[in-house]
Amino acid sequence: MREKNGDLEGMSFIWDLDGTLIDSYPVLIGSLRKALAERGIQRTEEELREYSLRYSVRSYLEKTAEETGIPFEQLKGRYSQLTHERAGENRLMPGAKEALQELQNRGGAHYLFTHKGTSAFEILDRLEIRSFFREIVTGADGFPRKPAPDAVRYLVERHGLRPERTWYVGDRKLDRECAENAGIGSIFYISSEVGEQEAEGSDLIVRDLREIADRAGD
């Protein structure tokens, strides 16, 4: 990356966590598949991955609860237990820490909004990136889920962020829609898990998080 200290001063980045900063889908999909299998529901990894990436794990659990009559809270509770047990398997996405550091070095400020609960803090601490964020909003804070813009608007208003210089960085269509609904820019990260069609309509599309520092200010 080019040395351009300070050229992103006043620019803010609100980050998604799963699939954007951390490579967590193997844990999420594996835990979902096991939670269902324990209830006698056999699903392929490919089916679960496709649905969860397009929508969410929660919506799949809600759909399954409706179709089978199994209480949602039971399915969700077991899924959450399994993901917690495997939390140590989560890894940083390639270039994630470098991107956070470079953006910060050049004047950018970081925030985070994730549907994950308080376990997000443990993961961020273990991966040594929690200190980059000025505020972290998790599912435990009670905001409506994406693509509702409430949590993003809260961060913008609380920290006096300039919408025209604020980006939401995520890897799914609902992240882009959340940014649009909040009136800020959208950066779509295409990982190996997500196809280009999901990124359509984003303000900026990257395949490497380290691209952001050199492209966000263009």
Side-chain angles (χ1 to χ4, degrees):
M1 285 185 179
R2 302 190 299 269
E3 287 290 334
K4 286 189 173 183
N5 291 337
D7 65 336
L8 299 180
E9 196 69 41
M11 192 168 287
S12 302
F13 300 88
I14 304 173
W15 294 79
D16 171 50
L17 185 60
D18 290 309
T20 302
L21 287 171
I22 62 171
D23 184 8
S24 57
Y25 287 136
V27 170
L28 301 182
I29 301 305
S31 298
L32 175 59
R33 190 180 185 194
K34 183 174 181 180
L36 295 174
E38 289 176 351
R39 291 286 188 159
I41 305 167
Q42 302 298 327
R43 296 290 186 270
T44 66
E45 181 175 320
E46 292 73 20
E47 176 187 351
L48 297 177
R49 186 181 302 273
E50 181 179 355
Y51 188 97
S52 299
L53 289 175
R54 183 174 294 273
Y55 304 105
S56 69
V57 168
R58 183 185 181 90
S59 64
Y60 195 92
L61 290 172
E62 290 173 340
K63 180 171 77 76
T64 301
E66 183 177 348
E67 292 172 349
T68 64
I70 301 171
F72 167 76
E73 291 303 330
Q74 292 182 15
L75 290 171
K76 177 64 166 57
R78 180 54 176 155
Y79 164 76
S80 297
Q81 180 183 7
L82 291 168
T83 57
H84 182 73
E85 291 172 356
R86 296 182 59 182
E89 299 176 35
N90 292 308
R91 298 289 182 268
L92 284 172
M93 281 292 190
K97 191 169 186 178
E98 296 90 335
L100 290 168
Q101 186 67 67
E102 180 72 6
L103 289 164
Q104 181 175 279
N105 289 346
R106 288 164 60 169
H110 297 302
Y111 304 87
L112 190 142
F113 169 41
T114 174
H115 287 163
K116 192 180 291 295
T118 55
S119 63
F121 295 103
E122 300 172 23
I123 294 171
L124 293 168
D125 282 335
R126 184 177 62 80
L127 297 176
E128 301 181 341
I129 60 171
R130 182 174 175 177
S131 62
F132 284 107
F133 301 100
R134 298 189 179 186
E135 184 168 357
I136 296 167
V137 176
T138 74
D141 290 306
F143 289 100
R145 296 171 65 85
K146 295 176 281 187
D150 304 58
V152 171
R153 286 177 176 166
Y154 157 78
L155 288 170
V156 169
E157 293 170 6
R158 175 177 171 82
H159 296 277
L161 310 184
R162 296 165 56 188
E164 71 277 8
R165 290 183 64 78
T166 301
W167 302 85
Y168 191 87
V169 189
D171 70 309
R172 290 186 294 169
K173 180 181 178 181
L174 60 80
D175 295 315
R176 172 177 60 77
E177 292 173 341
C178 179
E180 291 176 355
N181 293 338
I184 65 173
S186 59
I187 298 177
F188 198 106
Y189 170 52
I190 297 181
S191 68
S192 59
E193 303 284 355
V194 180
E196 279 191 39
Q197 68 276 7
E198 293 295 308
E200 186 177 347
S202 301
D203 296 302
L204 179 62
I205 300 171
V206 299
R207 294 182 177 276
D208 187 322
L209 295 172
R210 289 163 290 197
E211 296 177 35
I212 296 174
D214 281 339
R215 296 182 60 193
D218 291 346

